[in-house]
Amino acid sequence: MGGRNPVTWLGSPAFPKAAHEALADTQLRRNLRKATTTIRTKRAGVVAELDDWERLRRAGEAIKDDVLANLDTYLVRLEEAVTARGGVVHWARDAEEANRIVLDLVRTEGADEVVKVKSMATAEIGLNEALEAGGVHAVETDLAELIVQLGDDRPSHILVPAIHRNRAEIRDVFRRGMAEEPASDEPRDLAEAARRHLRRKFLSAKVAISGANFAVADTGSIVVVESEGNGRMCLTLPETLITVMGIEKLVPSWQDLEVFLQLLPRSSTAERMNPYTSVWSGVTPADGPRKFHLVLLDNGRTATLADQVGRQALRCIRCSACLNVCPVYERTGGQAYGSVYPGPIGAILAPQLAGDLHDEQAASLPYASSLCGACYEVCPVRINIPEVLTHLRAEAVQAKGKRTPEALAMAAAAWVFADPKRYEAAQKAGSLSQLLARDGRIKRLPGPGAKWTDSRDAPAVPKESFRAWWRKNRVQRP
């Protein structure tokens, strides 16, 4: 395995441009600030209830590291357990192969429409678009995903994809996309409109597609946690269930799963436990699908595993806690990242899964951070995101080579800083910038410097350096 496929949105702008557009959208910023502040405040409260929270974090980290170190063994164990219980396991090297497998399975069942449980893995591979191209319509059943789908929009958050929308905007989306429009923009009426819209889909669907939060290697059990009950409907009513799961989502045993069922809800929805935790092992015809297919997705994960620093991103349990504390995300939103995975975790995961440091979009993501470290402090599996960010930045610089304008400029700066006389001469030359300044600020720099002043002013170099001032004013002491 190890095939690569870009996870960035097709045709999306580079991060700086998209970020500037987001910063100019005051409504978006208000929506994000209110939502992230509410979630992180609630999270802090439920986390404070546990005296052993830090021990749980370290346990989660250790379990995930064990899985990554022994992934080959656990994957084989999972396949054997799923097969023994009547399921069928498929291996997909990349997005193209995974999409082809799923489309063939849906066509075999004679379905032209499927219901879907919210899944980051299927969004990563562009499954909805691949199914549509193959004549199959995918219906998102998670409320936020439904809002995004009906609004022909893009998700902006791992946990709450429509976090950038307020309720008035959601009502407008439902009016355009549903046969029966909501009575008002009150949350109860919006939820009722979605319930009526989806009920018909649940009862008529032959095939459902899901992701997976966890898979227990010992028993072949797949676990999906959610808050609305739509997942339970998808996982029990259709005759055929297809699950697309990243190969890193394993836990060895049920005892290990216990740790994550405490970490995940508190870190994501700020709840003590998820309202709906669905678990199935193979085929369960008495109260579930008669056919079960598990698609194990690589799509760059084994290549990421080879990076001793970057591999810790594969510990991620998609809780989104890092998004809710990130000052960059709060001001720009997830769409500015141009990736299925936004925020701090997206800044380290997306470039590695994309596997192309020459890709301008992917290479820009590790710079979408102030390196404040808040993301590391809240991560339930202790991913040192700042460490990975700086590691990927260094790789991005190395990938550009030594002949780029940036590399030549840095080499010139190093040469100047290495000698006191050269440094002082550069200071004197820099004081000429006063000719371009107004009130001590430069609005527009010439040449390559224009990229800096496109979005900020530059301070002019003072007419007199500190060195010159010190020589002129220092007090001679015996």
Side-chain angles (χ1 to χ4, degrees):
M1 294 186 293
R4 294 292 183 121
N5 185 73
V7 296
T8 52
W9 291 96
L10 184 62
S12 63
F15 182 86
K17 180 180 178 182
H20 296 160
E21 292 173 351
L23 289 171
D25 188 338
T26 55
Q27 182 62 59
L28 170 68
R29 295 180 66 184
R30 280 196 296 268
N31 295 347
L32 287 169
R33 187 181 304 111
K34 180 179 179 180
T36 55
T37 301
T38 299
I39 295 172
R40 66 173 176 256
T41 301
K42 290 176 62 180
R43 176 200 170 275
V46 294
V47 165
E49 295 174 353
L50 297 182
D51 295 333
D52 62 345
W53 179 252
E54 188 58 30
R55 289 179 60 193
L56 281 170
R57 291 181 73 212
R58 291 185 179 277
E61 175 188 16
I63 293 168
K64 278 293 187 178
D65 282 348
D66 172 59
V67 168
L68 296 177
N70 301 282
L71 192 57
D72 52 348
T73 300
Y74 289 128
L75 283 172
V76 171
R77 186 183 302 175
L78 175 70
E79 180 183 31
E80 291 173 348
V82 170
T83 303
R85 289 163 175 79
V88 180
V89 176
H90 309 263
W91 299 81
R93 291 181 176 85
D94 53 27
E96 182 180 358
E97 189 170 2
N99 289 334
R100 185 174 64 251
I101 290 169
V102 175
L103 181 58
D104 288 345
L105 291 172
V106 174
R107 283 174 170 168
T108 298
E109 299 304 319
D112 58 8
E113 186 172 86
V114 298
V115 289
K116 284 186 75 238
V117 186
K118 180 180 180 297
S119 164
M120 296 301 297
T122 59
E124 174 190 323
I125 62 177
L127 178 61
N128 286 12
E129 294 77 9
L131 290 175
E132 199 70 38
V136 177
H137 178 58
V139 178
E140 295 289 352
T141 64
D142 174 85
L143 179 57
E145 288 285 0
L146 178 64
I147 294 166
V148 170
Q149 185 178 45
L150 293 179
D152 195 23
D153 201 354
R154 292 181 296 163
S156 62
H157 193 277
I158 289 177
L159 181 68
V160 194
I163 196 173
H164 57 292
R165 296 284 196 181
N166 61 31
R167 65 190 194 185
E169 293 171 320
I170 293 170
R171 186 189 186 190
D172 290 339
V173 168
F174 282 5
R175 277 174 169 173
R176 295 191 299 269
M178 292 181 178
E180 300 178 48
E181 68 177 57
S184 73
D185 64 359
E186 289 298 317
R188 179 186 296 273
D189 290 331
L190 294 174
E192 180 59 29
R195 187 178 295 113
R196 291 196 305 266
H197 174 78
L198 291 174
R199 180 70 60 169
R200 293 186 292 271
K201 303 295 184 181
F202 289 135
L203 295 176
S204 62
K206 294 181 179 179
V207 179
I209 298 174
S210 82
N213 291 99
F214 306 102
V216 182
D218 283 352
T219 60
S221 303
I222 311 299
V223 183
V224 166
V225 296
E226 40 111 7
S227 301
E228 300 170 16
N230 64 296
R232 183 69 56 84
M233 300 286 278
C234 290
L235 300 171
T236 55
L237 290 177
E239 295 182 358
T240 300
L241 173 60
I242 303 169
T243 296
V244 180
M245 186 189 86
I247 56 175
E248 81 282 12
K249 290 297 189 72
L250 284 168
V251 295
S253 69
W254 278 87
Q255 185 175 4
D256 299 314
L257 178 64
E258 175 190 350
V259 172
F260 296 102
L261 291 183
Q262 295 180 75
L263 288 171
L264 179 57
R266 284 178 167 84
S267 297
S268 57
T269 54
E271 296 171 299
R272 297 174 184 86
M273 64 180 293
N274 290 95
Y276 295 89
T277 300
S278 299
V279 184
W280 66 98
S281 304
V283 176
T284 53
D287 58 356
R290 298 177 182 177
K291 299 178 182 178
F292 171 59
H293 298 270
L294 175 62
V295 180
L296 294 174
L297 176 68
D298 183 341
N299 205 40
R301 285 161 173 79
T302 52
T304 302
L305 193 62
D307 188 323
Q308 292 297 318
V309 177
R311 69 189 302 177
Q312 59 186 296
L314 296 178
R315 290 185 207 146
C316 178
I317 58 176
R318 310 294 193 266
C319 71
S320 77
C322 61
L323 280 68
N324 299 325
V325 298
C326 177
V328 175
Y329 175 86
E330 184 180 277
R331 287 159 179 79
T332 63
Q335 294 180 349
Y337 290 77
S339 166
V340 170
Y341 301 106
I345 186 61
I348 65 171
L349 186 59
Q352 295 190 89
L353 296 184
D356 185 3
L357 290 173
H358 296 283
D359 182 314
E360 182 181 356
Q361 171 69 17
S364 73
L365 291 179
Y367 295 92
S369 170
S370 63
L371 298 179
C372 67
C375 49
Y376 181 28
E377 293 177 6
V378 300
C379 178
V381 287
R382 291 174 45 85
I383 301 172
N384 192 338
I385 294 178
E387 178 187 35
V388 184
L389 286 168
T390 54
H391 170 69
L392 294 177
R393 289 180 185 185
E395 287 191 341
V397 171
Q398 292 172 3
K400 292 178 181 178
K402 297 182 179 181
R403 298 296 179 184
T404 64
E406 180 183 5
L408 294 174
M410 290 298 104
W415 180 78
V416 169
F417 291 167
D419 183 89
K421 292 182 178 179
R422 291 197 291 266
Y423 180 69
E424 191 165 357
Q427 286 182 312
K428 290 180 179 179
S431 66
L432 296 175
S433 65
Q434 290 286 336
L435 299 174
L436 302 173
R438 296 291 183 274
D439 298 324
R441 314 291 293 180
I442 301 173
K443 300 291 185 181
R444 182 76 177 175
L445 285 170
K451 292 185 177 180
W452 176 271
T453 51
D454 278 345
S455 56
R456 57 183 72 80
D457 292 342
V461 177
K463 293 179 180 179
E464 184 180 46
S465 69
F466 176 77
R467 287 168 176 262
W469 179 91
W470 180 257
R471 279 197 297 267
K472 186 167 61 177
N473 296 284
R474 65 181 178 175
V475 177
Q476 297 291 337
R477 295 181 179 180

